[in-house]
Amino acid sequence: MPLKPLQMSDAPKGPGDDASVLTKTRTQTARPPMYKVLLLNDDYTPMEFVVHVLERFFGLSHAQSFEIMLTVHKKGLAVVGVFSFEVAETKVAQVMDFARRHQHPLQCTMEKD
């Protein structure tokens, strides 16, 4: 006797074999909070040193660094960049360590964006 092809209507029925669609709930991952890195003005750190710090630790061009340095000088502080907590913390530590090693009182801080 020849076998006939199996049709969907011929498939065995079991529990949960109804035609409803199962949906899976996906949890959405929240973005981590971001932190602003700020440079603060003081009366002793040379402007050239600040420009050098911005170029070295933040990868800014000379023109960008000069603009931020002038903002720090005129307004008392400036946002240098916005980063994840770990990156911001590392950049603050690098800048502070570099300034201390060169005997400058330059202050760098971070705050939640």
Side-chain angles (χ1 to χ4, degrees):
M1 168 157 77
L3 295 174
K4 69 175 190 167
L6 186 64
Q7 301 289 321
M8 281 302 284
S9 60
D10 298 335
K13 303 280 188 237
D17 273 353
D18 61 281
S20 65
V21 177
L22 296 177
T23 59
K24 184 178 179 181
T25 304
R26 278 182 147 175
T27 55
Q28 203 168 34
T29 309
R31 288 190 163 269
M34 300 300 278
Y35 290 81
K36 296 186 279 190
V37 174
L38 307 156
L39 273 184
L40 307 176
N41 189 41
D42 65 74
D43 294 333
Y44 304 101
T45 305
M47 293 179 176
E48 299 81 24
F49 184 80
V50 175
V51 170
H52 178 69
V53 163
L54 292 167
E55 291 172 347
R56 179 173 176 162
F57 296 107
F58 296 94
L60 300 173
S61 69
H62 186 76
Q64 291 170 316
S65 298
F66 193 81
E67 281 297 316
I68 291 173
M69 177 274 300
L70 283 179
T71 302
V72 170
H73 181 70
K74 291 176 183 175
K75 296 187 177 182
L77 64 89
V79 175
V80 181
V82 180
F83 308 96
S84 67
F85 178 81
E86 292 81 9
V87 173
E89 186 177 48
T90 300
K91 291 197 179 287
V92 168
Q94 288 174 328
V95 169
M96 295 296 288
D97 182 56
F98 190 70
R100 296 302 157 262
R101 282 188 285 131
H102 289 84
Q103 300 178 344
H104 294 300
L106 181 64
Q107 292 292 306
C108 185
T109 62
M110 61 189 260
E111 66 180 38
K112 205 167 190 176
D113 188 28

